[in-house]
Amino acid sequence: MFEARLPQAAVLKKLVEALKELVTEGNFDVSPSGISLQAMDSSHVCLVTLQLNDDGFEHFRCDRNMSMGIHFGNLSKILKCAGNEDTITLKAEDNADQLTLMFESANQDRISDFDLKLMSIESEHLGIPDQDYSAEVKMPSAEYQRIVRDLTSMGDTVLVSATKEGIKFSTSGDIGTANITLRHNTTPEKEDEQTHIDLKEPVALTFALRYLNNFAKATPLTPQVKLSLTKDLPVVVEYKVGELGQVRFFLAPKIDD
Amino acid sequence: KSTQAKISAFFGAG
C-alpha cells in the first residue's frame, strides 16, 4: 500500500508542468523515504531527477518499494482537474496497475478521484556521483528564465562562464551577439532576490539554449535556482520545492570537435 | 564546431 498526502495540489501541478515536455514518461520510484524519479529526454542529452522526501508530505506511507510508470502528459491532464488549494492524495495498492489521485477542496465540500493507468517503462538508471563544483551560482529563478529566453532570440547555444567578475552568458547568431553578466549581489533585502556566486575556480562551458529554456518551466516552483558548473561536466540546474525536496536538471555540454 | 554530448557519457549505470 502506498499513500501520500499533500496539502496543496499546486506543488504537484507545477512539478508536472516543469517536466512533461522534457520527459514524456518515467518511473515514480516510491519507497518509505519518499518519491523519486530519474528520466532522460528523448535525445538523451539531459537528465531530470526529482526527489520528494517522505517527511515533506502531510502523510506518507509506503509498505513496499514500487516503480510506477507514468505518462506525464496524462498525469498533467488529471492534475488540471485539481484546484490549486485542493489537498491531494496519491494512492496505489501493492503491484497496482493504476494510481489513484484524490482531490479535496479546502472546506471538504468537493471530493473527486481519478485513476491514472500506469505503464511499464524500462529505464536505464544512471549513477550520479557526488562532487564538488568549480562554480555554484544561486540567482532569482525569474532572472535565469529571462536570461535564457532573451538569449534564445539571438542564438542556439550559450557560453556560460563563471569568473570572479560574475557569471556571464554569451551567445551569437545571424543577427549579432549578446552577453549578459550577473554579478554577486547580496544588496537586496529579500534573500530570494540576491545572487550568490561561489567560485572555486573559473569555468566556461557551452550548452544548447533550447534545454536551458525548457528547465525554466520550473520557475513557478520557487524564487531561486542554483546552477552548478565544472569543466567538461553536465551543468546542474536545481529548483528546491520548499521542504518537500527538489528537481534537478542535468544538461550535457557541447564539446569542441 | 562543437558536438552535443550525451548525458550517459558522464554518468555510469547506477
Side-chain angles (χ1 to χ4, degrees):
Chain A
M1 172 89 184
F2 159 68
E3 197 169 84
R5 185 176 159 93
L6 277 173
Q8 280 192 321
V11 175
L12 199 58
K13 286 159 79 92
K14 289 175 190 171
L15 267 174
V16 173
E17 290 310 298
L19 303 177
K20 71 172 190 190
E21 278 178 42
L22 206 59
V23 289
T24 51
E25 55 191 45
N27 285 313
F28 269 174
D29 293 315
V30 300
S31 75
S33 61
I35 302 174
S36 65
L37 163 81
Q38 193 187 89
M40 278 187 280
D41 75 301
S42 60
S43 56
H44 291 194
V45 168
C46 63
L47 177 75
V48 182
T49 67
L50 173 67
Q51 178 63 45
L52 304 177
N53 302 313
D54 61 323
D55 54 11
F57 288 85
E58 194 176 274
H59 163 76
F60 193 90
R61 173 183 165 183
C62 178
D63 299 336
R64 56 180 287 184
N65 293 4
M66 276 193 289
S67 204
M68 297 191 291
I70 289 180
H71 183 282
F72 294 113
N74 293 343
L75 178 58
S76 164
K77 284 180 190 169
I78 290 180
L79 288 171
K80 286 209 162 70
C81 306
N84 282 336
E85 305 301 320
D86 285 1
T87 295
I88 184 165
T89 305
L90 309 175
K91 275 197 275 194
E93 299 296 328
D94 292 347
N95 300 317
D97 59 359
Q98 62 183 29
L99 171 68
T100 301
L101 295 101
M102 192 170 85
F103 311 137
E104 293 169 80
S105 62
N107 58 6
Q108 296 196 322
D109 59 353
R110 187 179 196 271
I111 297 162
S112 37
D113 56 87
F114 292 75
D115 291 334
L116 174 68
K117 285 182 189 164
L118 297 176
M119 310 165 69
S120 174
I121 300 169
E122 277 198 33
S123 69
E124 178 188 6
H125 206 82
L126 299 178
I128 303 164
D130 280 335
Q131 63 176 83
D132 293 327
Y133 286 91
S134 301
E136 289 189 319
V137 181
K138 286 186 199 162
M139 67 171 88
S141 56
E143 183 66 75
Y144 168 82
Q145 181 179 44
R146 180 178 170 196
I147 290 170
V148 293
R149 187 191 60 212
D150 288 353
L151 294 183
T152 300
S153 63
M154 297 290 286
D156 298 328
T157 62
V158 60
L159 174 68
V160 183
S161 42
T163 64
K164 61 181 190 338
E165 308 302 323
I167 181 166
K168 183 163 87 167
F169 301 81
S170 310
T171 191
S172 62
D174 294 343
I175 65 167
T177 62
N179 296 288
I180 300 172
T181 302
L182 280 191
R183 294 212 167 92
H184 184 83
N185 179 7
T186 53
T187 315
E189 271 185 37
K190 288 187 187 165
E191 210 169 314
D192 289 345
E193 294 168 8
Q194 298 178 356
T195 300
H196 288 260
I197 299 175
D198 180 6
L199 187 75
K200 293 197 175 65
E201 55 182 339
V203 58
L205 289 161
T206 303
F207 298 101
L209 273 167
R210 184 163 70 90
Y211 294 97
L212 295 179
N213 248 305
N214 215 316
F215 304 163
K217 290 188 189 298
T219 307
L221 279 167
T222 176
Q224 282 255 314
V225 62
K226 183 169 87 173
L227 271 57
S228 303
L229 297 151
T230 291
K231 188 177 187 301
D232 295 335
L233 279 183
V235 61
V236 191
V237 181
E238 177 181 313
Y239 295 84
K240 286 225 180 297
V241 191
E243 299 301 301
L244 193 56
Q246 78 280 325
V247 57
R248 292 190 179 117
F249 300 97
F250 298 81
L251 175 61
K254 294 223 166 200
I255 292 172
D256 287 339
D257 291 332
Chain B
K1 212 49 193 139
S2 61
T3 311
Q4 175 61 60
K6 301 278 186 196
I7 200 80
S8 51
F10 301 93
F11 302 140

